[in-house]
Amino acid sequence: MGIIALTYNFVNASSSKASMKKGGWKCPPRGFVKLNVDASFDLDLLKGTMGAVLRDDKGRFIAGGNGKTDYCADVIMAEALAVKFGLNLAQRAGCNHLIINSDNLEYSSYRRSRSRSKNPAALPINWPIIHMFPSLLVNVHNLLDYFTLVLAGNGHNFRAHGPPGTGMRFFVTCDPANIRHIFTTNYTNFPKGTEFVAIFDIMGDSLFNVDGARALRPRVKIHTVLSSPRLVASMEACCRDKVVNNLLPLFCHMASTNALFDMQELMSRFMFDLATTALFSVDPGLLSIDMPSMDIAVAMDTVMRWLNIGPERMLGAAHTVLRVFVAKMIERRNIDKVHVSNDEEQEGVDILSSYINDPDFADYDFLCAGLIGLMLALRDTVRTTLTWIFYNLAQNPDIVATIRNELLPIALQKAPTGAGAMVIFEPEEIKSLVYLRATLYETLRLYPPAPLERKTVATEDIMPSGHKVHAGDTVFVSIYSMGRMRDVWGENCLDYNPHRWLSKDGNTLRYVPSHKFLSFNSGPRICPGKDIAVMQMKIIIATVLWNFDVEVLEGQSIRPKSSCILQMENGLIVKLKKRQA
Ligand code: HEM
């Protein structure tokens, strides 16, 4: 049906008698290809059809196709699937520079970021959740955008339910007032719940998985550990030394050989080394020119499942790899302890040393699970953010220029030294750089490493938005969607613009409450590693940007992977050029 309509329109438009109707088909700009998609939707059968046509900048037909959807919840979903179908067609036809035309007003209005429309988008019927509906298979790989689409059209909230008879109910929100209620005002009523613990069972009964009174001691402990000036100074120094001794030489090598490489993988190696150094004082040396294998890092990726999806066999193997690794680290420390006469020396240099003698963490499994949780927190969040920063900066040379301007007065004070004449920025020197921090926050706003929070409802409650939730309901908080809501971040919410974080004079950061900028969480569960993460990212970004130009290979498909961490599905292929001092 869709393809017939599109072909009909195209034939009419191409005819010599065709007149230009207002808003009719227009050629795309030179060098671009226009993708027209259309969908039809049968409300009774919950099925749809779709079609897509690609034409070049002279209006010439390149490719077309049509398809059916066996399950389609509503008209927005039909149109979204048609866009997806068209994009696949474009990819197969090798068309990269695309302009997409879709005539569904609700879908298009979302794409233009018109959140909270006056005519709310139709709610999905029997909204799909894993193990329930075939439609999930369509949406699960695009769940974040799907949530954003529906939330934008429904005043930042929607409710959905599972298949008849299951009694499963869901409430999805990105409404700042609801978020304050869930994370702060009434947070005891919104524990993580058993499903969360089942997904992240590798973290056992550690802080990451428990709520209420059981979380209190571990939380106080980690806040104390991560705010110890000695540990913070040691982590700063480690990061700085790792940049100087490993990252810069490797980047110099990549630049001198003009090599293409995956920035995401390198950031992953870098952060793995840094995480194990901070935790155990052990640097496994994954960041080196010969790129050693990353079994443990791969196991860490495997355990971060998306809505409980993932082959159990692989998961079991990954658990074993991680446990064995952490067990070795603990054993090594126990042996070292026997040899180190002065315990004071050891205390506070890494995170493990603060736990190893603590009777609250004497239970081996508990300690092990907590350390694995910390490894994931330390590595995954920062490496993910760094990859998105490099990607966004490569699209925004003006922002790179502003960061370099901010670094200039510091760089002028030092003559580049050593091989390759690199400029190294010390942690103290860049601590107060406001624009650099604004760039980090802007990245975290649009690309929060943990894009979706999951909670359950303990007892019946009414949200500030007026929605009633019942005991046992699951609440999904879409942090990813919140950064993309016009009512929260303004008309230009989809633009990557660090200036939105600055005061009028540009000298200070604007205050943004954590229930609006939720990337580091909010309330009692707020991330205790925020300052450390910001410090690490500042050191890395400042030094890399000053010494190199980072070019992203054109034509890559950059999209988030279906994972509870917002990694890039296909990595980020880049090339470096050494800048002249
Ligand atoms: C860009 C960097 C980071 C981001 C965006 C981030 C974000 C978050 C978020 C969203 C949570 C809440 C998770 C949940 O409750 O489900 C969290 C918790 C936590 N984060 Fe981070 N994090 C980052 C870096 C770090 C680092 C470097 C550390 C350690 C040094 C760390 C340690 C923790 C810990 C221990 C918790 C648990 C807090 C609790 O449950 O009370 N994070 N973080």
Side-chain angles (χ1 to χ4, degrees), residues 201-202 299 303 305 314-324 372:
D201 54 347
I202 186 73
V303 297
R305 290 178 296 169
M314 270 168 68
L315 197 65
H319 277 207
T320 309
V321 171
L322 282 182
R323 289 216 178 92
V324 167
I372 291 174

Side-chain angles (χ1 to χ4, degrees), residues 192 196 207-208 219 222-223 226 235 351 374 377-378 381-382 385 444 448-450 453 455 479 518-521 524-530 532-533 536-537:
K192 288 192 169 180
F196 183 96
L207 172 63
F208 295 92
R219 181 167 300 128
I222 191 66
H223 278 263
L226 294 182
M235 287 180 77
I351 295 174
L374 281 170
L378 270 155
T381 50
V382 177
T385 314
L444 286 159
E453 275 280 333
K455 303 273 187 189
I479 306 176
L518 195 62
S519 298
F520 289 104
N521 221 336
R525 292 207 93 115
I526 200 157
C527 173
K530 177 182 172 184
I532 289 174
Q536 290 175 333
M537 293 190 287

Side-chain angles (χ1 to χ4, degrees), residues 167-232:
M168 294 171 114
R169 280 189 305 259
F170 306 92
F171 178 62
V172 185
T173 184
C174 66
D175 179 334
N178 287 348
I179 285 164
R180 185 166 40 190
H181 184 76
I182 295 166
F183 287 82
T184 309
T185 331
N186 202 17
Y187 102 102
T188 51
N189 198 35
F190 297 93
K192 288 192 169 180
T194 49
E195 182 79 6
F196 183 96
V197 179
I199 296 172
F200 298 108
D201 54 347
I202 186 73
M203 295 190 266
D205 282 343
S206 69
L207 172 63
F208 295 92
N209 275 350
V210 296
D211 288 289
R214 288 169 70 206
L216 284 180
R217 286 174 84 93
R219 181 167 300 128
V220 170
K221 173 80 183 180
I222 191 66
H223 278 263
T224 314
V225 171
L226 294 182
S227 56
S228 140
R230 196 154 170 230
L231 181 85
V232 173

Side-chain angles (χ1 to χ4, degrees), residues 286-445:
L286 290 193
L287 188 77
S288 70
I289 288 175
D290 48 345
M291 304 277 168
S293 74
M294 301 204 292
D295 300 355
I296 307 153
V298 171
M300 286 167 79
D301 287 339
T302 312
V303 297
M304 297 308 271
R305 290 178 296 169
W306 180 236
L307 299 176
N308 224 354
I309 306 168
E312 289 300 321
R313 198 170 46 77
M314 270 168 68
L315 197 65
H319 277 207
T320 309
V321 171
L322 282 182
R323 289 216 178 92
V324 167
F325 176 75
V326 172
K328 263 192 204 152
M329 294 295 121
I330 298 173
E331 192 188 332
R332 204 185 103 118
R333 175 54 49 84
N334 283 332
I335 295 168
D336 285 354
K337 226 170 52 181
V338 177
H339 299 295
V340 175
S341 51
N342 184 355
D343 265 6
E344 288 276 299
E345 273 297 297
Q346 192 71 16
E347 190 81 26
V349 182
D350 60 33
I351 295 174
L352 177 59
S353 55
S354 302
Y355 282 87
I356 203 103
N357 292 324
D358 186 333
D360 280 348
F361 295 85
D363 181 287
Y364 182 79
D365 285 341
F366 184 51
L367 175 63
C368 212
L371 291 169
I372 291 174
L374 281 170
M375 265 172 77
L376 293 165
L378 270 155
R379 182 197 72 148
D380 284 355
T381 50
V382 177
R383 62 130 182 194
T384 305
T385 314
L386 285 169
T387 313
W388 286 109
I389 295 176
F390 283 121
Y391 170 67
N392 280 290
L393 290 181
Q395 326 296 315
N396 291 283
D398 50 328
I399 298 177
V400 175
T402 313
I403 295 175
R404 285 179 181 153
N405 266 345
E406 199 178 34
L407 292 168
L408 186 65
I410 309 168
L412 286 176
Q413 310 265 322
K414 33 179 105 198
T417 50
M422 296 284 174
V423 175
I424 315 295
F425 295 96
E426 301 301 330
E428 266 314 310
E429 294 170 334
I430 51 175
K431 223 165 233 171
S432 60
L433 298 186
V434 173
Y435 189 80
L436 182 55
R437 185 182 282 258
T439 309
L440 303 185
Y441 284 4
E442 182 64 349
T443 312
L444 286 159
R445 177 182 75 87

Side-chain angles (χ1 to χ4, degrees), residues 531-548:
D531 291 342
I532 289 174
V534 168
M535 170 274 290
Q536 290 175 333
M537 293 190 287
K538 275 186 155 182
I539 297 175
I540 297 161
I541 296 294
T543 314
V544 173
L545 280 197
W546 187 265
N547 293 295
F548 297 95

Side-chain angles (χ1 to χ4, degrees), residues 57-279:
D57 54 13
K58 303 241 167 9
R60 289 177 301 214
F61 177 84
I62 300 173
N66 66 330
K68 282 195 252 177
T69 11
D70 290 337
Y71 174 86
C72 192
D74 54 37
V75 69
I76 312 173
M77 188 170 161
E79 198 69 23
L81 288 170
V83 172
K84 187 177 169 205
F85 176 80
L87 288 172
N88 283 336
L89 180 74
Q91 195 181 28
R92 286 202 305 276
C95 303
N96 292 328
H97 295 98
L98 278 185
I99 291 188
I100 305 170
N101 259 19
S102 147
D103 66 358
N104 182 289
L105 288 180
E106 284 154 358
Y107 183 75
S108 307
S109 69
Y110 160 65
R111 301 299 309 178
R112 290 194 304 272
S113 83
R114 302 210 177 282
S115 62
R116 216 191 271 268
S117 103
K118 290 209 172 71
N119 303 309
L123 281 176
I125 301 160
N126 283 340
W127 176 71
I129 284 288
I130 192 69
H131 304 317
M132 296 182 192
F133 285 110
S135 55
L136 179 71
L137 298 177
V138 177
N139 270 316
V140 75
H141 296 298
N142 219 356
L143 203 61
L144 296 172
D145 282 324
Y146 181 64
F147 275 173
T148 308
L149 168 65
V150 183
L151 287 167
N154 289 281
H156 305 165
N157 302 288
F158 69 91
R159 254 196 304 243
H161 54 84
T166 61
M168 294 171 114
R169 280 189 305 259
F170 306 92
F171 178 62
V172 185
T173 184
C174 66
D175 179 334
N178 287 348
I179 285 164
R180 185 166 40 190
H181 184 76
I182 295 166
F183 287 82
T184 309
T185 331
N186 202 17
Y187 102 102
T188 51
N189 198 35
F190 297 93
K192 288 192 169 180
T194 49
E195 182 79 6
F196 183 96
V197 179
I199 296 172
F200 298 108
D201 54 347
I202 186 73
M203 295 190 266
D205 282 343
S206 69
L207 172 63
F208 295 92
N209 275 350
V210 296
D211 288 289
R214 288 169 70 206
L216 284 180
R217 286 174 84 93
R219 181 167 300 128
V220 170
K221 173 80 183 180
I222 191 66
H223 278 263
T224 314
V225 171
L226 294 182
S227 56
S228 140
R230 196 154 170 230
L231 181 85
V232 173
S234 152
M235 287 180 77
E236 275 181 7
C238 280
C239 183
R240 183 254 181 224
D241 293 349
K242 187 92 196 148
V243 167
V244 175
N245 300 328
N246 297 84
L247 192 67
L248 290 184
L250 183 59
F251 275 10
C252 266
H253 170 75
M254 295 302 191
S256 66
T257 53
N258 211 15
L260 285 168
F261 66 94
D262 181 357
M263 181 66 99
Q264 177 164 267
E265 188 195 329
L266 277 201
M267 287 303 114
S268 197
R269 288 173 178 275
F270 182 99
M271 286 314 299
F272 184 84
D273 287 351
L274 210 57
T276 49
T277 310
L279 277 162

